[in-house]
Amino acid sequence: MKQLVLDLGADQTHSLDSFEVGKNAELAQLMRAFAARTSREHFAYLWGASAAGKTHLLQALAATPYARYIRPDAPESAFIYAPETTLYLLDDCEQLPPAAQIDAFGLFNQIRDNGAFMVSSGAVAPAVLPVREDLRTRMGWGLIYQIHGLSDDEKIAALANAAALRGLSLSPGVLPYLLSHCRRDMRSLSTLLDSLDLYSLETQRPITLPLLRELLQAEAKEP
């Protein structure tokens, strides 16, 4: 069988509308305010487990006009303030190397001085971030939100809704099986649903539990 690409959804465009809100309704509303540059607070810090949705939100904001998304390994030029940029998105702050921490500290100060906006993210709360103390203090400016993961029922509902929007018909048991036998974060589950859709089209068979098991077994055998 031709190998299916299980990172098919990795580069999908993120949007605020496609963010699964769950218990994060207040956070989702705040992100819309940052997208519109109407937030009373100019700084926000988001933290949570891997694949909780931090990068999803930051990249969604990066799609708005005059925004800049900054990775921890970005070049020094990415940390230079520009008057035309009104929103800065600094992701995975716990991974910032020492030189970038110095650059990020300077950027925080310039954003504050010029009335721009900043949303940063990390795996842990600002108080325990493994970065220099002065930068840790800056990341504590403004609002701090922990992103709460979805419950199993919320994940199933979100996946069922995504399938329905794409016109996919899933047999009973497919989604619970995904949660109990595969990686449980929404990114991985959504990507696997993409691959299942593709495999269904290639084999001209409906999406059933046997088809899902066949796909997982075939992928497990690939080198």
Side-chain angles (χ1 to χ4, degrees), residues 69-76 78-79 90-92 95-97 100:
Y69 177 78
I70 307 173
R71 299 180 184 274
D73 58 352
E76 183 180 354
F79 295 88
L90 181 57
D91 208 359
D92 296 324
Q95 299 179 23
L96 284 167

Side-chain angles (χ1 to χ4, degrees), residues 52-174:
K54 303 183 298 293
T55 296
H56 181 123
L57 289 172
L58 265 61
Q59 291 188 350
L61 291 174
T64 64
Y66 312 111
R68 182 192 299 172
Y69 177 78
I70 307 173
R71 299 180 184 274
D73 58 352
E76 183 180 354
S77 59
F79 295 88
I80 297 176
Y81 176 81
E84 66 273 12
T85 302
T86 57
L87 176 60
Y88 296 80
L89 299 315
L90 181 57
D91 208 359
D92 296 324
C93 292
E94 74 281 358
Q95 299 179 23
L96 284 167
Q101 292 180 33
I102 297 173
D103 295 334
F105 173 78
L107 179 59
F108 267 88
N109 292 334
Q110 289 184 296
I111 290 170
R112 178 194 57 187
D113 293 344
N114 289 277
F117 294 84
M118 162 78 92
V119 180
S120 50
S121 79
V124 295
V128 291
L129 267 174
V131 297
R132 47 188 291 158
E133 178 61 30
D134 54 3
L135 178 58
R136 192 183 303 124
T137 300
R138 297 300 186 274
M139 290 178 179
W141 285 351
L143 301 172
I144 300 172
Y145 278 86
Q146 179 181 6
I147 300 183
H148 299 284
L150 300 178
S151 67
D152 285 357
D153 287 344
E154 288 169 336
K155 289 178 181 179
I156 288 176
L159 291 168
N161 182 60
L165 290 174
R166 294 171 54 177
L168 302 183
S169 177
L170 307 179
S171 293
V174 167

